[in-house]
Amino acid sequence: MEKRKDRRKVIVIHGPNLNMLGKREPEIYGKETLDEINVKLEKLAEKLDIDIETFQSNYEGKIIEKIQKTSGICRGLIINPAALTHTSIAIRDALLLLDIPIIEIHLSNIYKREAFRRKSMIADVVTAQISGFGVQGYIMALEAIAKM
Ligand code: DQA
């Protein structure tokens, strides 16, 4: 019997200041803009035959609302909460509502940086964390979710 395809989307959430990628501390976060990263992900999703939606917000509440709305329509979530990684119990609580693979991603290796970045409020509630591979981390996350 043919396997039924899961048409639910993979959602990629980018947190605060990631809209400034390209200009923002390129020696840490690289030279690629967020639009360029999203286009890369969209092309890969097409190749993998999966639907994808990308979303960026500088507001914690908007990110929480987006996570809440993914329930039922989302087959996997890739999230870089940016600075909110280190502070947001509210994002952690929202992620706990979901019953799908969740990949936490960071462009930089947060464990090699300032002490306040070494703590992630969500690391123990996500499926996996990718930290320090730059843009390649997003690619790895999408490929992993496609196989799950
Ligand atoms: C980041 C790391 C965070 O500490 C920082 O606040 C960011 C980006 C990363 O992708 O490396 O904005 O999540």
Side-chain angles (χ1 to χ4, degrees):
M1 207 171 65
E2 202 188 318
K3 227 174 146 194
R4 255 187 79 196
K5 229 181 141 298
D6 188 350
R7 283 316 327 176
R8 289 175 303 160
K9 304 187 254 191
V10 172
I11 296 185
V12 184
I13 298 180
H14 306 286
N17 297 308
L18 294 176
N19 56 318
M20 300 310 289
L21 286 177
K23 287 192 194 124
R24 178 186 176 211
E25 299 178 273
E27 62 293 351
I28 296 175
Y29 300 117
K31 288 188 185 141
E32 277 180 86
T33 65
L34 190 61
D35 280 349
E36 287 166 345
I37 295 172
N38 286 338
V39 167
K40 260 190 188 166
L41 289 172
E42 280 154 14
K43 282 190 180 153
L44 176 62
E46 212 179 308
K47 237 166 89 191
L48 297 169
D49 197 24
I50 56 182
D51 295 332
I52 191 169
E53 180 187 335
T54 59
F55 172 85
Q56 190 276 331
S57 181
N58 292 320
Y59 299 94
E60 185 175 15
K62 288 204 173 150
I63 292 170
I64 291 162
E65 279 173 4
K66 189 70 189 172
I67 295 169
Q68 290 174 357
K69 283 187 202 141
T70 66
S71 200
I73 61 152
C74 179
R75 67 184 257 185
L77 180 69
I78 296 170
I79 182 164
N80 183 349
L84 294 171
T85 306
H86 317 298
T87 59
S88 181
I89 297 169
I91 288 180
R92 175 195 173 89
D93 286 347
L95 292 175
L96 282 168
L97 291 164
L98 305 181
D99 185 20
I100 49 167
I102 303 171
I103 305 201
E104 172 186 357
I105 153 113
H106 301 286
L107 292 155
S108 62
N109 180 349
I110 57 171
Y111 301 102
K112 252 173 106 173
R113 300 186 61 194
E114 303 96 319
F116 62 85
R117 291 187 207 275
R118 289 182 211 143
K119 171 78 194 155
S120 163
M121 300 303 281
I122 68 167
D124 62 322
V125 302
V126 296
T127 311
Q129 186 196 64
I130 299 174
S131 179
F133 283 102
V135 177
Q136 188 57 29
Y138 285 93
I139 305 287
M140 288 158 65
L142 187 56
E143 283 173 341
I145 287 184
K147 286 185 189 143
M148 282 171 174

